[in-house]
Amino acid sequence: MTNPHDPYGRQQPSGQFQQPYGLQPYQPQQQFYVQQAYVRPPDQGMAVASLVCSLIGLVMCFPAILGIIFGHIALGKAKRGEAGGQGMAQAGMIIGYVITALWLIPIILWFVFVVFAIGAAGVA
């Protein structure tokens, strides 16, 4: 059997293909791929809730107290490595404490004023 691409009419052994001019046959290199494991980002829901509730506490007092509670829970989880957002949880707690104090000062002064007013009215 002759090779149609061979101008000299040389025959090749059946079942084998020889590379002309001493070239080596193509051998694909083995490539190894390392599959990286998907790492889920840490959960920051409680830290976000802490900060949001603390900021809503500027308008109403009760959410600031929730912000303090959520902040303590989120900070504990962050320190144990179960969740992220440690800085956000601390910010939510600090803002919550400050806003709660700012709400409590006028409430306490109002109660003191009422007690003194009732006491002054009852004496006369």
Side-chain angles (χ1 to χ4, degrees), residues 44-57 63-75 85-97 99:
Q44 299 181 4
M46 289 293 253
V48 172
S50 169
L51 189 59
V52 169
C53 286
S54 294
L55 291 175
I56 292 175
I65 297 169
L66 289 176
I68 294 169
I69 294 169
F70 290 153
H72 278 286
I73 294 170
L75 188 61
Q86 183 175 357
M88 205 176 327
Q90 287 176 339
M93 282 179 15
I94 292 169
I95 293 171
Y97 278 124
I99 291 174

Side-chain angles (χ1 to χ4, degrees), residues 25-106:
Y26 174 72
Q27 296 176 354
Q29 295 180 355
Q30 293 181 352
Q31 296 180 353
F32 298 99
Y33 294 100
V34 177
Q35 184 176 0
Q36 295 180 349
Y38 174 72
V39 178
R40 188 173 155 241
D43 186 25
Q44 299 181 4
M46 289 293 253
V48 172
S50 169
L51 189 59
V52 169
C53 286
S54 294
L55 291 175
I56 292 175
L58 287 169
V59 181
M60 301 177 285
C61 181
F62 183 69
I65 297 169
L66 289 176
I68 294 169
I69 294 169
F70 290 153
H72 278 286
I73 294 170
L75 188 61
K77 283 186 175 184
K79 285 185 177 180
R80 287 190 305 268
E82 297 174 6
Q86 183 175 357
M88 205 176 327
Q90 287 176 339
M93 282 179 15
I94 292 169
I95 293 171
Y97 278 124
V98 169
I99 291 174
T100 302
L102 291 176
W103 274 99
L104 285 178
I105 291 172

